[in-house]
């Protein structure tokens, strides 16, 4: 094993739940030190964004089929819609004297460790620079004003960059050692949310896989110690290019102008006290990313158009009404056609979000515990997003299983492994070392993925 894979394996072992006990975590919730859900930078100039999403006419069914509208121009109003429908607030809820916000992007435990930054050239009604997005007030805080023609020239008028970072403490407060897992998970949610909102504006999104963590730190201003004196630090997660996919800026050309920029604001402290989890610091160091080659896009695969669901809702409505599933009655059933229609959304189609943001091969596949689906016997199934993965799975998992293909024709057929009522389900052969590693959320590369 490499140092990276060994470190990931050891963290996985220490941070996973077991039959006999939970992973290490806080003994209880310290409500007095619950982190502030909103990071802000007092002292930075604030630019209030318009709430303009209702003006967007794009339908959700169009996006899921890859039918993007004509690209909107890059200006303050359309950038405001991008953030409103991806990382903005969708509702406020209350119980007694307590009040809390919901956001368009999902988050583990609604803790929202993810912070976002806009890096842009001079746009209509928006100065060139680096901005932090404050979702509570739907505004941009100008962290750095960049008055250098080389900065704007690097963008070539073809798009903007969105930076994503994580505050590990927000998750560690509740989940302890497992917090790093959830931060990675929520980063994936943020990437998906941005790619959907961008597509609704006719813009493409690409994850800049080649960027080193050190470069992300400089671009977002995360390494400025004087701006985070007593505040919780942010870890760089991802950089997204939103715009013309063939005209991404050279990040090195941005560093020079940024080094001469004037920065503003100091990060607020989220909790008065903290519990330190050394293993989180350790896995963060081990997964520190250096500069790598940008992946080439996989060859396009022609797929039939996905079935359109009966409701034809606007994307703005869909984005803002998203909620977590928290209440299952144990009796409601769905049709097999509905299940397969949902699985169709997991296939990569040209221009269709959220998978247009990723340029590397599909590495995550699904194990499905089917309970009440009309037309399917209850049991364990696998949905392989890349049919070429089937031989490897058959070699890795139990050979005596059914491996029976069912459902419509490719690309959304599933493979039945074992039906319910025929003994316990155990994916891997006895004694296989990989038994300790199998976790759907950890499959494939750990950084910046959504399962």
């Amino acid at each position: 094993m490499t140092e990276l894979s060994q470190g990931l394996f050891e963290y996985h072992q220490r941070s996973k739940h077991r039959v006999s006990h939970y992973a290490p975590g806080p003994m209880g919730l310290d409500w007095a030190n619950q982190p502030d859900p909103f990071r802000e930078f007092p002292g930075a100039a604030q630019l209030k964004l318009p709430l303009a999403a209702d003006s967007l006419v794009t339908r959700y069914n169009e996006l899921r089929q890859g039918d993007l509208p004509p690209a909107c121009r890059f200006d303050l109003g359309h950038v405001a819609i991008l953030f409103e429908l991806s990382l903005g607030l969708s509702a406020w809820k209350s119980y007694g004297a307590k009040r809390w916000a919901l956001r368009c992007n999902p988050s583990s435990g609604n803790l929202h460790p993810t912070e976002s930054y806009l890096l842009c050239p001079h746009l209509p009604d928006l100065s060139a620079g680096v901005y932090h997005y404050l979702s509570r007030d739907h505004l941009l805080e100008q962290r750095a004003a960049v008055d250098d023609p080389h900065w704007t020239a690097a963008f070539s008028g073809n798009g903007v960059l969105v930076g994503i970072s994580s505050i590990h403490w927000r998750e560690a407060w509740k989940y302890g050692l497992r917090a790093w897992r959830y931060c990675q998970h929520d980063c994936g949610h943020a990437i998906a949310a941005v790619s959907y909102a961008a597509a609704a504006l006719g813009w493409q999104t690409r994850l800049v896989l080649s960027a080193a963590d050190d470069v992300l730190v400089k671009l977002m201003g995360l390494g400025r110690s004087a701006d985070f004196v007593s505040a919780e630090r942010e870890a760089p997660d991802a950089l997204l290019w939103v715009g013309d996919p063939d005209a991404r800026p050279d990040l090195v050309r941005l560093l020079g102008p940024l080094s001469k920029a004037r920065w503003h604001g100091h990060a607020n402290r989220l909790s008065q006290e903290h519990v330190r989890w050394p293993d989180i610091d350790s896995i963060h160091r081990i997964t520190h990313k250096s500069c790598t080659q940008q992946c080439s896009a996989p060859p396009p695969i022609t797929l039939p158009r996905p079935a359109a669901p009966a409701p034809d809702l606007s994307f703005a409505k869909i984005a803002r009404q998203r909620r977590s599933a928290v209440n299952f009655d144990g009796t409601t059933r769905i049709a097999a056609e509905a299940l397969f229609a949902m699985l169709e959304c997991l296939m990569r189609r040209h221009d269709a979000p959220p998978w247009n943001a990723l340029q590397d091969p599909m590495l995550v596949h699904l194990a499905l515990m089917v309970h009440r689906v009309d037309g399917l016997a209850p049991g364990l199934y696998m949905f392989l997003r890349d049919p070429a993965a089937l031989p490897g799975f058959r070699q890795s998992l139990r050979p005596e299983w059914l491996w029976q293909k069912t459902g419509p024709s490719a690309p959304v057929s599933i493979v039945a492994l074992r039906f319910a009522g025929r003994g316990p389900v155990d994916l891997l052969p006895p004694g296989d070392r990989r038994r300790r590693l199998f976790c759907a959320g950890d499959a494939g590369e750990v950084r910046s993925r959504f399962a």
Side-chain angles (χ1 to χ4, degrees), residues 45-121:
Q46 295 183 340
L47 179 61
K48 186 68 176 177
L49 298 176
L51 293 168
D54 286 335
S55 65
L56 197 65
V57 298
T58 308
R59 315 299 290 180
Y60 172 68
N61 286 351
E62 296 170 347
L63 296 186
R64 68 190 300 272
Q65 293 176 342
D67 295 333
L68 274 60
C72 296
R73 77 167 186 164
F74 283 93
D75 57 23
L76 179 66
H78 291 117
V79 168
I81 294 175
L82 173 69
F83 280 95
E84 181 183 350
L85 294 182
S86 60
L87 304 169
L89 301 190
S90 58
W92 283 93
K93 301 188 76 172
S94 62
Y95 181 80
K98 297 290 185 180
R99 186 169 180 259
W100 64 95
L102 302 180
R103 309 192 197 189
C104 292
N105 56 309
S107 172
S108 307
N110 199 37
L111 297 175
H112 288 283
T114 306
E115 296 295 326
S116 59
Y117 294 82
L118 171 70
L119 292 81
C120 66

Side-chain angles (χ1 to χ4, degrees), residues 277-392:
W277 295 91
D279 279 352
I280 295 178
D281 298 332
S282 176
I283 191 63
H284 175 58
R285 288 193 304 270
I286 291 171
T287 56
H288 182 84
K289 184 183 179 300
S290 59
C291 182
T292 54
Q293 291 291 324
Q294 185 74 24
C295 294
S296 299
I301 300 176
T302 301
L303 300 174
R305 293 172 68 85
D312 183 21
L313 303 177
S314 71
F315 171 72
K317 182 176 179 63
I318 288 286
R320 290 185 293 206
Q321 75 178 23
R322 180 211 61 80
R323 297 291 184 271
S324 300
V326 295
N327 187 21
F328 298 93
D329 59 17
T331 59
T332 301
R333 306 179 65 84
I334 65 171
E337 292 77 8
L339 173 63
F340 288 118
M342 288 188 283
L343 294 177
E344 278 189 293
C345 294
L346 299 179
M347 300 301 296
R348 177 181 284 144
R349 285 179 169 81
H350 181 65
D351 288 349
W355 311 111
N356 60 338
L358 301 181
Q359 297 297 290
D360 48 354
M362 292 182 289
L363 302 176
V364 178
H365 308 276
L366 275 69
L368 303 170
M369 304 290 187
V370 172
H371 293 278
R372 290 175 297 279
V373 177
D374 292 333
L376 288 178
L380 175 66
Y381 296 76
M382 292 208 72
F383 174 59
L384 302 181
R385 299 169 64 223
D386 181 357
L390 179 58

Side-chain angles (χ1 to χ4, degrees), residues 70-414:
C72 296
R73 77 167 186 164
F74 283 93
D75 57 23
L76 179 66
H78 291 117
V79 168
I81 294 175
L82 173 69
F83 280 95
E84 181 183 350
L85 294 182
S86 60
L87 304 169
L89 301 190
S90 58
W92 283 93
K93 301 188 76 172
S94 62
Y95 181 80
K98 297 290 185 180
R99 186 169 180 259
W100 64 95
L102 302 180
R103 309 192 197 189
C104 292
N105 56 309
S107 172
S108 307
N110 199 37
L111 297 175
H112 288 283
T114 306
E115 296 295 326
S116 59
Y117 294 82
L118 171 70
L119 292 81
C120 66
H122 177 76
L123 300 174
D125 300 318
L126 187 60
S127 301
V130 179
Y131 297 83
H132 171 257
Y133 177 61
L134 178 55
S135 62
R136 181 193 62 204
D137 305 310
H138 190 48
L139 59 79
L140 294 174
E141 299 176 295
Q142 189 175 46
R143 290 282 287 126
V146 184
D147 186 16
D148 189 321
H150 293 94
W151 170 274
T152 294
F155 287 90
S156 303
N158 292 306
V160 299
L161 288 165
V162 176
I164 297 174
S165 66
S166 287
I167 302 175
H168 295 150
W169 167 244
R170 280 216 184 104
E171 294 287 339
W173 170 78
K174 180 177 181 180
Y175 294 118
L177 182 57
R178 292 175 62 84
W180 189 81
R181 291 174 177 251
Y182 297 125
C183 288
Q184 301 300 310
H185 189 219
D186 285 5
C187 175
H189 283 313
I191 293 172
V194 170
S195 68
Y196 267 113
L201 293 160
W203 300 337
Q204 285 290 322
T205 303
R206 295 291 185 269
L207 177 64
V208 186
L209 281 170
S210 59
D213 281 353
D214 290 342
V215 172
L216 268 61
V217 166
K218 293 177 181 177
L219 291 175
M220 291 187 275
L222 306 182
R224 297 179 55 79
S225 299
D227 298 345
F228 293 84
V229 175
S230 62
E232 298 80 359
R233 302 302 289 263
E234 300 177 27
D237 280 333
L239 190 67
L240 301 174
W241 169 245
V242 179
D244 183 347
D246 298 320
R248 281 174 277 194
D250 182 354
L251 301 184
V252 175
R253 293 179 61 191
L254 299 177
L255 295 179
L258 196 57
S259 66
K260 297 177 288 185
R262 184 175 180 181
W263 290 78
H264 305 275
H266 296 81
N268 63 323
R269 186 181 176 98
L270 307 181
S271 295
Q272 290 304 309
E273 299 179 5
H274 305 89
V275 176
R276 186 167 175 265
W277 295 91
D279 279 352
I280 295 178
D281 298 332
S282 176
I283 191 63
H284 175 58
R285 288 193 304 270
I286 291 171
T287 56
H288 182 84
K289 184 183 179 300
S290 59
C291 182
T292 54
Q293 291 291 324
Q294 185 74 24
C295 294
S296 299
I301 300 176
T302 301
L303 300 174
R305 293 172 68 85
D312 183 21
L313 303 177
S314 71
F315 171 72
K317 182 176 179 63
I318 288 286
R320 290 185 293 206
Q321 75 178 23
R322 180 211 61 80
R323 297 291 184 271
S324 300
V326 295
N327 187 21
F328 298 93
D329 59 17
T331 59
T332 301
R333 306 179 65 84
I334 65 171
E337 292 77 8
L339 173 63
F340 288 118
M342 288 188 283
L343 294 177
E344 278 189 293
C345 294
L346 299 179
M347 300 301 296
R348 177 181 284 144
R349 285 179 169 81
H350 181 65
D351 288 349
W355 311 111
N356 60 338
L358 301 181
Q359 297 297 290
D360 48 354
M362 292 182 289
L363 302 176
V364 178
H365 308 276
L366 275 69
L368 303 170
M369 304 290 187
V370 172
H371 293 278
R372 290 175 297 279
V373 177
D374 292 333
L376 288 178
L380 175 66
Y381 296 76
M382 292 208 72
F383 174 59
L384 302 181
R385 299 169 64 223
D386 181 357
L390 179 58
F393 271 96
R394 294 199 67 158
Q395 184 177 3
S396 299
L397 304 182
R398 288 181 170 270
E400 68 270 21
W401 279 358
L402 296 174
W403 297 103
Q404 174 184 313
K405 184 177 178 180
T406 186
S409 59
V412 291
S413 58
I414 59 178

